[in-house]
Amino acid sequence: MKNILYIVIPCYNEQEVLPKTAKLLKEKMHSLINNKKIASNSKICFINDGSKDKTWDIIYKLNQSDDVFTGIDLSKNRGHQNALLAGLLTVKDRSDMVISMDADLQDDINAIDKMVDKYLDGCDIVYGVRNNRDSDNFFKRFTAETFYRFMNILGAKTIFNHADFRLMSKRAIEGLEQFKEVNLFLRGIIPMIGFRTDYVYYSRNKREAGESKYPLTKMISFAFEGITSLSNKLIRIISLVGILALIVSIIMLIYTFINIISGKSILGWGSIMISLWVIGGLVLLSVGVVGEYIGKIYLESKHRPRYIIKQDLDDIEK
């Protein structure tokens, strides 16, 4: 029987929530197998992203206790996006479809049934999309929605209210494999792949245990990474701001020249200092943004590996 499903779950210091996650996902896999929607050799694959706690020990014990569990141990912490990519590309040739999700049980496990149904109907990519953000506070809701809108304005086409909960067929992952960039932002890359896509809407749950791996500072960094990895419109905006500043400077020059001819007093130091601070700030901001792009070019030119696998439990089984 085909329709082998792998559920790929990146893990970083998830020892508190992992046992419950494993239990619930195992029940879901058995339900899908019993309903003959997926093959009996489908598996749950945990990706240990250089955890400092007992996450890998738990994954290893789960694998020893039940064949439905397997795991991949990365050589060091590579970040969520690289860990997810490692899982997707490693299990690609062992599966017909792969669902990626987080370990914290915030993604609705029951949405997996609908994703599989849509795959069986011919979809290659099925996005899990939040139907609301009622569980978020005002600040998180506002910043998240602003992020998605800002990304789309800058040309980085993302799925609104979608994180990394999605199903991908084998050929969709093969398409993803052709994207070789080191600076990964999968939420923006995957919509570029094409193929038939669909959506499953769900309500996001509260985190079961442990702490969020995305505090405000990391979310801001992640957003900036996504914008600069997928779009060059920031540089174009800088050019437009520079042109605007030049036009304003010319207007001020003409205004000053007219004042001199007419004998009127020239405006004081206040306006001059404000102008200097504004132009200086714009210059520094522009240099910073351009530097960010140059830094990404530098990293891409090195062709460093995006991840290194230390241990693959599926290989041990073979």
Side-chain angles (χ1 to χ4, degrees):
M1 178 183 178
K2 290 188 177 181
N3 298 331
I4 300 173
L5 168 66
Y6 266 67
I7 299 179
V8 169
I9 306 170
C11 303
Y12 178 69
N13 295 343
E14 299 287 3
Q15 65 177 14
E16 295 180 39
V17 74
L18 205 53
K20 185 171 183 179
T21 301
K23 177 178 180 294
L24 293 176
L25 284 176
K26 178 181 175 180
E27 292 173 357
K28 176 57 65 179
M29 292 291 276
H30 285 166
S31 172
L32 290 168
I33 292 170
N34 292 335
N35 291 326
K36 297 183 179 181
K37 290 186 176 182
I38 62 174
S40 58
N41 56 337
S42 298
K43 292 191 177 186
I44 302 163
C45 182
F46 296 104
I47 317 299
N48 181 41
D49 186 22
S51 298
K52 298 177 182 178
D53 60 5
K54 296 181 180 179
T55 295
W56 179 245
D57 294 334
I58 295 172
I59 295 171
Y60 188 84
K61 290 177 181 177
L62 287 169
N63 172 254
Q64 296 298 305
S65 64
D66 196 320
D67 289 341
V68 75
F69 298 112
T70 186
I72 297 170
D73 188 21
L74 301 187
S75 62
K76 60 172 291 187
N77 179 257
R78 304 294 296 186
H80 180 273
Q81 297 290 278
N82 286 294
L84 178 53
L85 183 71
L88 293 174
L89 297 187
T90 301
V91 307
K92 168 178 63 68
D93 294 326
R94 306 168 187 170
S95 59
D96 299 296
M97 52 180 151
V98 180
I99 291 178
S100 60
M101 62 186 300
D102 292 335
D104 55 17
L105 293 177
Q106 288 188 282
D107 297 324
D108 185 8
I109 291 176
N110 293 319
I112 292 175
D113 298 75
K114 297 178 182 178
M115 289 182 170
V116 173
D117 287 340
K118 289 183 181 294
Y119 166 80
L120 296 176
D121 286 339
C123 290
D124 285 284
I125 302 175
V126 183
Y127 297 103
V129 180
R130 296 179 65 169
N131 54 20
N132 62 67
R133 286 187 169 270
D134 295 341
S135 60
D136 294 343
N137 58 43
F138 171 78
F139 178 76
K140 186 172 183 179
R141 183 166 58 249
F142 173 77
T143 53
E145 291 179 354
T146 301
F147 162 70
Y148 285 110
R149 291 190 176 95
F150 191 55
M151 288 283 289
N152 289 331
I153 289 172
L154 291 179
K157 301 302 181 182
T158 58
I159 307 301
F160 193 74
N161 278 339
H162 164 72
D164 290 299
F165 185 30
R166 69 180 74 87
L167 178 147
M168 298 181 70
S169 68
K170 180 178 179 178
R171 70 171 180 172
I173 299 175
E174 288 173 343
L176 173 63
E177 193 173 19
Q178 297 180 45
F179 290 79
K180 302 297 184 181
E181 52 255 55
V182 174
N183 301 285
L184 281 177
F185 188 72
L186 295 177
R187 299 179 195 182
I189 293 175
I190 290 174
M192 298 180 187
I193 296 173
F195 297 124
R196 182 180 168 186
T197 64
D198 208 333
Y199 308 90
V200 167
Y201 296 91
Y202 70 99
S203 297
R204 193 163 170 84
N205 304 314
K206 292 184 178 180
R207 185 179 177 88
E208 285 290 331
E211 297 179 355
S212 172
K213 304 305 182 296
Y214 277 92
L216 178 60
T217 53
K218 196 168 183 178
M219 283 298 296
I220 294 173
S221 175
F222 185 60
F224 194 66
E225 176 77 18
I227 292 169
T228 54
S229 295
L230 297 172
S231 172
N232 63 352
K233 284 193 176 181
L234 275 180
I235 290 183
R236 293 180 180 176
I237 290 173
I238 288 173
S239 300
L240 292 175
V241 171
I243 293 172
L244 180 62
L246 178 62
I247 293 172
V248 172
S249 299
I250 293 173
I251 292 173
M252 290 301 297
L253 179 63
I254 295 171
Y255 175 72
T256 303
F257 184 70
I258 292 173
N259 279 335
I260 292 174
I261 294 176
S262 61
K264 295 180 181 179
S265 59
I266 302 175
L267 294 175
W269 285 100
S271 59
I272 296 176
M273 293 303 296
I274 291 173
S275 299
L276 287 174
W277 278 104
V278 171
I279 297 300
L282 289 174
V283 169
L284 290 174
L285 175 63
S286 303
V287 170
V289 172
V290 173
E292 180 72 19
Y293 280 101
I294 293 174
K296 289 186 182 299
I297 295 171
Y298 171 73
L299 291 175
E300 293 290 345
S301 68
K302 286 181 171 293
H303 301 292
R304 288 174 175 170
R306 293 173 288 188
Y307 57 86
I308 298 174
I309 294 177
K310 180 179 179 181
Q311 189 174 1
D312 182 350
L313 296 182
D314 266 354
D315 284 342
I316 293 176
E317 293 169 5
K318 295 175 184 178

